[in-house]
């Protein structure tokens, strides 16, 4: 239960940071989101591994660093945290945390962008947290937060910048529950990130296997 509570809290604050900064058009929104993830990773890693992202959890199952029996409970905790945060964002700003692609983006661009970006995120998580010779390092949280900030700056305006099914799909569920309809793009934030993290797990297992 301690791990699940940690996943709920960490995902809650990650999505809260995203929703409040985006809904208010805050300056340096990407930096703020990345910094929030960084501090939550440092805070929660000893208890749960600090995934805060269903796609990352899936990738860690595939890479062998999370027991499969823990995947669904982790997903439930992450989606719960994301949806609670989206509701609070709605109460504070009048709109829930919402992930929307650029008007000029096709669904193919969004799907590929989310897949590639989440590949990068999951790959960094696996390398800095589980890579050979990196056990016990002090920089893993900074690396993960900086990756999200960099991706939000470079890809966020094209795809909406979710890289996380709990944020992209979970916020869509909240919008639907509030009577604002269900965005047809929401499925992209489920399959794109999960596909990217799965591919990252395969790449990590090969590159970290010790084979030449």
């Amino acid at each position: 239960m301690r791990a699940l509570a940690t996943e709920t809290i960490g995902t809650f604050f990650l999505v809260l940071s995203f929703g409040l900064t985006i809904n208010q058009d805050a300056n340096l929104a990407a930096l703020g989101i990345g910094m929030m993830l960084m501090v939550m990773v440092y805070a929660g890693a000893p208890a749960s591994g600090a995934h805060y992202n269903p796609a990352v959890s899936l990738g860690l199952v595939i890479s062998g660093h999370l027991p499969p029996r823990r995947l669904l409970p982790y997903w439930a905790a992450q989606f719960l945290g994301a949806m609670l945060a989206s509701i609070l964002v709605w109460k504070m700003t009048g709109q829930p945390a919402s992930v929307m692609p650029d008007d000029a983006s096709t669904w193919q661009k969004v799907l590929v962008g989310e897949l590639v970006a989440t590949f990068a995120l999951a790959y960094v998580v696996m390398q800095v947290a589980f890579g050979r010779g990196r056990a016990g390092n002090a920089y893993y949280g900074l690396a993960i937060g900086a990756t999200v900030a960099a991706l939000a700056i470079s890809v966020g305006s094209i795809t909406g910048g979710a890289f996380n099914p709990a944020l992209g799909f979970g916020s869509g569920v909240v919008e639907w529950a509030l009577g604002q309809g269900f965005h047809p793009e929401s499925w992209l934030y489920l399959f794109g990130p999960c596909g990217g993290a799965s591919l990252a797990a395969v790449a990590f297992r090969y590159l970290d296997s010790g084979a030449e």
Side-chain angles (χ1 to χ4, degrees), residues 85-165:
S86 189
I87 292 170
L88 182 57
V89 170
W90 167 61
K91 288 289 188 179
M92 298 178 76
T93 68
Q95 291 291 330
S98 180
V99 182
M100 290 292 294
D102 184 84
D103 290 340
S105 295
T106 63
W107 70 265
Q108 293 95 336
K109 287 182 180 179
V110 177
L111 182 64
V112 172
E114 287 288 310
L115 186 150
V116 171
T118 312
F119 178 101
L121 172 59
Y123 180 75
V124 168
V125 169
M126 293 172 199
Q127 286 287 5
V128 300
F130 301 104
R132 286 179 297 157
R134 295 186 175 91
N137 70 76
Y139 58 75
Y140 63 94
L142 177 60
I144 294 167
T147 301
V148 166
L151 292 171
I153 293 169
S154 59
V155 186
S157 62
I158 297 172
T159 72
F163 326 133
N164 185 330

